[in-house]
Structure formats: structure tokens, C-alpha cells
Amino acid sequence: MIDFRPYKHADAEAFKSLNIEWLEAYFEVESYDELVLSNPQTEILDKGGSIFMVLKEGKTIGTFAFLKKGEGLYEFSKMALTPKERGKGYGNLMMQFAIRYAEQHHWNSLILYSSTILKNSIYLYRKFGFKEVPIDPDIKYARGNIKMELELTN
């Protein structure tokens, strides 16, 4: 079906273009997006985060990242799929993998920021146990109007 593998330097363009595509479709690319997507090594990996690429028959169709926010606290972020692969259940598989990965690393919780415009995404997050929590007053995304958290059992 699909496979997950850790990000390699050669994935930089795919990581960025997958995210830019959906951002431009629903919102606009903000300066913070541009910074993180153009510098995944320094903005995500060097800060203790992780990036995964999603492959179907060896071809990259999606991605997501974990941004380290504190000890045992990670932000699930930069989830994107190519348009022709949406609606096929891959989002469910991505969430299952992400949660399992977080539990295997004994993280305490995952947080995410989203927009209530993205009804399918919010539904997916709730389905996997994410609950709405108060949003930070200094959120970095103009489009972000919802914060969700999943407390993990280790």
C-alpha cells in the first residue's frame, strides 16, 4: 500500500512542493511557512524534530513532520498529500503511523494547529483522539484558529 521513510536531504524539494501546493490551494504561504519549508534541516531536524516521506510504489506522495516543542512534546505539522491521492484513506494511515511513532518514542503528547476551514482534517484529528485545547495567543500562523492535543499513553 504505502510506506513511510525518514526524510533525506534529497527530499527537500518534494517536502516543500507538497506543502506549498495545499497551502496555495486553501490559504497563502506565510513567511513562517517559507522559512520552515525552505530550511527543514535547520528549522526541524536540527531542533530535534523529524520528517517522514510517504511513498506509494516507491514514489513520494506525501509528507509530515514532528516539530520538537519541549521534553516529550511535539507538534504534528506539515502533513500533505498529492491531490490525486487524497480521499483514499492515506491520511488515516499517516495518523496511525505518526501516533505509533510518538508512542514508541515515549512522547507525552502531540499538538497541532489547523484551521476549521479544513473540515476533513479536523474530522481526521478528532477521529484519532485529538481534542481541542485553548490556542496560544502568539500562534505563528495567521490561518491557525484551532489547536488540538493528543495525550499519549506510554
Side-chain angles (χ1 to χ4, degrees):
M1 190 101 165
I2 64 171
D3 296 303
F4 301 93
R5 72 160 171 74
Y7 172 92
K8 299 176 191 166
H9 182 70
D11 295 318
E13 185 51 42
F15 175 69
K16 183 175 182 177
S17 63
L18 283 161
N19 276 281
I20 296 289
E21 184 280 323
W22 82 262
L23 285 168
E24 288 178 340
Y26 293 97
F27 305 102
E28 63 182 42
V29 179
E30 299 177 34
S31 59
Y32 183 67
D33 295 314
E34 189 61 44
L35 173 69
V36 173
L37 295 173
S38 297
N39 303 285
Q41 184 68 47
T42 55
E43 294 299 315
I44 299 173
L45 301 173
D46 290 352
K47 294 179 177 182
S50 306
I51 301 171
F52 286 91
M53 305 309 288
V54 183
L55 298 108
K56 178 181 176 185
E57 298 168 4
K59 184 178 185 309
T60 300
I61 63 162
T63 188
F64 61 88
F66 296 110
L67 285 65
K68 186 171 185 176
K69 295 296 180 180
E71 202 53 47
L73 174 64
Y74 288 78
E75 178 184 344
F76 180 74
S77 186
K78 306 301 178 223
M79 181 179 179
L81 268 173
T82 59
K84 70 177 188 164
E85 300 297 348
R86 294 179 191 152
K88 297 181 179 179
Y90 297 143
N92 287 300
L93 297 174
M94 292 165 78
M95 289 303 302
Q96 289 169 358
F97 178 90
I99 292 167
R100 189 169 57 246
Y101 182 87
E103 288 173 341
Q104 288 170 344
H105 287 81
H106 306 289
W107 296 347
N108 300 321
S109 61
L110 289 174
I111 58 168
L112 61 84
Y113 298 92
S114 192
S115 171
T116 50
I117 292 170
L118 303 172
K119 295 189 184 324
N120 290 345
S121 298
I122 302 299
Y123 174 81
L124 178 70
Y125 303 143
R126 285 196 170 113
K127 178 175 156 181
F128 281 92
F130 281 84
K131 302 207 179 337
E132 189 171 350
V133 295
I135 199 159
D136 316 37
D138 59 346
I139 183 170
K140 291 184 174 166
Y141 304 106
R143 67 183 171 269
N145 67 356
I146 186 171
K147 178 180 179 182
M148 302 180 85
E149 181 173 12
L150 175 66
E151 293 187 18
L152 301 165
T153 53
N154 295 313

